[in-house]
Amino acid sequence: MHPVTREELLAAREAGPVQLVEALAADAYTAEHISGARNVPGRLTAEPAEAVAPDRATAVVVYCSGPYRNRSTITAAAFVRLGYADVRIYAGGKQDRAQAGLAFAGSRASAPAGVGRAA
């Protein structure tokens, strides 16, 4: 398990399959999340992990709200304990993405001027 930057995350998503996982409460995920992310709002066990990321060989990138990454670290460690081979943490999380002007999906999301929603 290792941290990745925004640029590394964008490159990984372009290169192949990556499962994004938001480690925040369900209401925060519903309001805004990175497009394509799945939500793990609480403690991760085997059954929810299989539902969120069924292929243990696919890279899993976990993020939360910001740079302290407490929730993302806990969730990423759970993926590792459950046998996932490639687990990473998007260290900057939502805060870094918002500061870069990149869009979110969700009920509160709106695309910044000139920025596409797919990034």
Side-chain angles (χ1 to χ4, degrees):
M1 161 173 91
H2 63 276
V4 295
T5 65
R6 175 181 358 101
E7 293 82 10
E8 291 168 330
L9 174 58
L10 292 171
R13 291 184 80 185
E14 288 179 15
V18 173
Q19 180 56 63
L20 286 171
V21 175
E22 179 169 305
L24 290 170
D27 59 338
Y29 173 83
T30 299
E32 63 182 16
H33 56 273
I34 298 174
S35 179
R38 304 287 302 271
N39 186 225
V40 174
R43 186 173 176 264
L44 182 67
T45 59
E47 189 175 323
E50 288 290 329
V52 169
D55 182 0
R56 291 175 191 248
T58 297
V60 174
V61 178
V62 184
Y63 70 92
C64 59
S65 58
Y68 299 109
R69 33 182 225 262
N70 295 332
R71 294 182 81 142
S72 57
T73 300
I74 292 166
T75 301
F79 274 109
V80 170
R81 279 193 309 277
L82 292 168
Y84 285 79
D86 185 1
V87 180
R88 309 171 198 181
I89 299 170
Y90 173 26
K94 285 181 166 180
Q95 180 181 5
D96 176 68
R97 187 171 177 88
Q99 287 173 342
L102 297 174
F104 291 93
S107 62
R108 187 172 62 194
S110 63
V115 177
R117 297 183 67 83

